[in-house]
Amino acid sequence: MSRALQQADALFDLGRHEQAAALAARHLAGAPDDATALVLLARCRDRLGDAQEALTSVEHALRVAPESVSAWMLHAHVLLSLKKNGQAEDSARRAVELAPQLWASHYTLGVVLDRSARRKRRRAAYESALRAVALAPEESDAHVLLGVTAHHTGNHRVAQQAYETALRLNPDNGAAHNNLSLLHLRRRWLRPGSWTRAAEGFVQAAALDLDDHHARHNLENMAWGTLLGSRWVAFAGTVTVSLGSARLRAGAAGTDALVTHLVCAAVLIGGWGGWLWWQTRRVPPHLRRPLLLVSRGSRPVVGMALAVALLIVHAAVALVLWRSALFSALAIPLVFFALVISVAGRTTLQQQAPKQ
């Protein structure tokens, strides 16, 4: 390997993909059929988001070196990113044929098969992941794939064990942190503390890989879900105050009026006080800043916060302006607005979900 190609390989490992691609291209100007350089250039192009150029380079490499296992594995990966799953599977299987004892070839096939929605193929992906783990039990990525495929086939116990093994092997594996947190989040209503562990895992995953948007998106979903839950507290306060205002306008006076005001105030203070107490126990101090930072940059979260805030303000002011039937009637459009925002927020978050 030439010195320029060695430097390009080192730059790629450092994440400096543009510089690595430039050096690899410079080397290829003098040696256009160097398969190793072509594969490296394809890897750089793929990381830079130019899948079509990556495909051109790796296919050139395969014409020059049709027995190159690394080229076949990369070919499968690039085809998968272009949604050519059938061709990607053919390439992955070719890599397994050429290197049946190489864990990475089985790993590649497992990744490709796992993208299928068909249960039979996902079961085959799980078997490929098992083979990868058997060949390289020290590779954390193999265990992550085993966890993913087990999760997709409904075996959550195996998935959790696989992610935990991956983290023992490599505590800085962001994918393992993220995926294990998804399992914790799934169990949040069944196991106390699962929501908090999920948030901690997402924060850790986001900190480990700033270019991986999955953990950030999951945190955004958690912040939005928290506000969505607070919507019911706001609805309860709005209904209570609306009924109390109607009773006051109907002629309640003296003790009846005082009791009505006290009941409405108790519902508002008790409801929001209880919700805030629960959130302070649920979200420890070290998680509050990351969640706040994610929330500030998320339109669905900000929109939901605005809708809930309007309901809170309306309920509080309605206790003072109870004589105004027009002001009390604002409760209906505000509730409708909150419902619309919740549906729109869910749709937006689904559309913004990063690709696998």
Side-chain angles (χ1 to χ4, degrees):
M1 184 183 291
S2 70
R3 184 176 179 182
L5 205 55
Q6 289 177 340
Q7 290 177 337
D9 197 45
L11 288 169
F12 180 89
D13 291 338
L14 291 172
R16 296 162 66 178
H17 302 125
E18 287 188 12
Q19 292 172 281
L23 276 177
R26 189 182 308 164
H27 171 84
L28 285 166
D33 290 335
D34 187 332
T36 302
L38 286 166
V39 170
L40 178 56
L41 179 60
R43 291 166 63 199
C44 293
R45 294 299 183 198
D46 180 58
R47 290 296 182 90
L48 291 169
D50 193 346
Q52 199 59 54
E53 284 294 324
L55 184 62
T56 300
S57 294
V58 75
E59 287 184 342
H60 186 177
L62 286 171
R63 287 193 296 272
V64 174
E67 303 298 305
S68 171
V69 177
S70 61
W72 281 113
M73 290 191 296
L74 181 59
H75 192 239
H77 172 79
V78 174
L79 286 169
L80 196 62
S81 69
L82 292 171
K83 302 187 184 302
K84 298 179 180 181
N85 293 19
Q87 296 176 52
E89 183 179 340
D90 292 340
S91 295
R93 290 193 183 280
R94 179 59 178 153
V96 171
E97 289 174 7
L98 290 169
Q101 297 304 312
L102 181 64
W103 77 272
S105 63
H106 293 277
Y107 175 90
T108 301
L109 180 58
V111 170
V112 173
L113 291 172
D114 186 64
R115 293 294 179 90
S116 174
R118 294 168 58 187
R119 184 170 182 81
K120 185 177 180 180
R121 285 187 175 277
R122 286 194 164 179
R123 180 66 191 178
Y126 176 69
E127 292 170 357
S128 291
L130 282 172
R131 181 62 177 157
V133 167
L135 289 169
E138 75 287 354
E139 290 288 345
S140 63
D141 285 344
H143 289 278
V144 171
L145 179 62
L146 179 61
V148 170
T149 55
H151 194 162
H152 288 165
T153 54
N155 197 336
H156 298 140
R157 180 182 61 82
V158 171
Q160 179 171 343
Q161 291 175 346
Y163 295 142
E164 289 173 347
T165 300
L167 289 172
R168 282 197 297 272
L169 292 168
N170 179 12
D172 293 337
N173 192 312
H177 279 292
N178 183 74
N179 294 350
L180 182 58
S181 294
L182 287 173
L183 284 178
H184 287 317
L185 192 60
R186 178 187 179 90
R187 300 165 180 165
R188 63 190 181 279
W189 302 115
L190 302 175
R191 298 184 183 180
S194 291
W195 191 97
T196 302
R197 286 194 291 274
E200 288 173 339
F202 291 143
V203 168
Q204 181 73 7
L208 288 169
D209 188 353
L210 298 178
D211 293 326
D212 185 353
H213 301 293
H214 290 84
R216 179 183 174 84
H217 181 74
N218 290 329
L219 281 172
E220 191 176 346
N221 266 306
M222 293 185 79
W224 181 81
T226 299
L227 285 168
L228 189 68
S230 73
R231 178 189 60 173
W232 299 109
V233 182
F235 284 171
T238 297
V239 170
T240 301
V241 171
S242 295
L243 292 175
S245 297
R247 178 179 176 82
L248 291 170
R249 286 195 301 275
T255 302
D256 284 347
L258 178 61
V259 169
T260 299
H261 274 97
L262 290 176
V263 168
C264 290
V267 169
L268 290 177
I269 296 172
W272 286 111
W275 185 83
L276 289 172
W277 174 82
W278 180 41
Q279 293 306 317
T280 56
R281 289 176 59 86
R282 193 187 197 193
V283 187
H286 66 280
L287 293 180
R288 293 170 193 168
R289 178 175 173 79
L291 281 170
L292 180 60
L293 290 174
V294 168
S295 301
R296 282 166 46 184
S298 170
R299 289 184 179 181
V301 175
V302 172
M304 197 70 246
L306 174 63
V308 171
L310 288 174
L311 286 170
I312 295 172
V313 171
H314 177 270
V317 176
L319 281 178
V320 179
L321 303 179
W322 57 267
R323 291 184 178 84
S324 173
L326 180 62
F327 182 79
S328 296
L330 282 175
I332 296 175
L334 288 177
V335 168
F336 182 74
F337 175 70
L339 291 172
V340 170
I341 287 294
S342 64
V343 172
R346 186 186 303 278
T347 302
T348 300
L349 286 172
Q350 289 173 348
Q351 292 173 344
Q352 292 177 348
K355 297 178 182 180
Q356 291 186 341

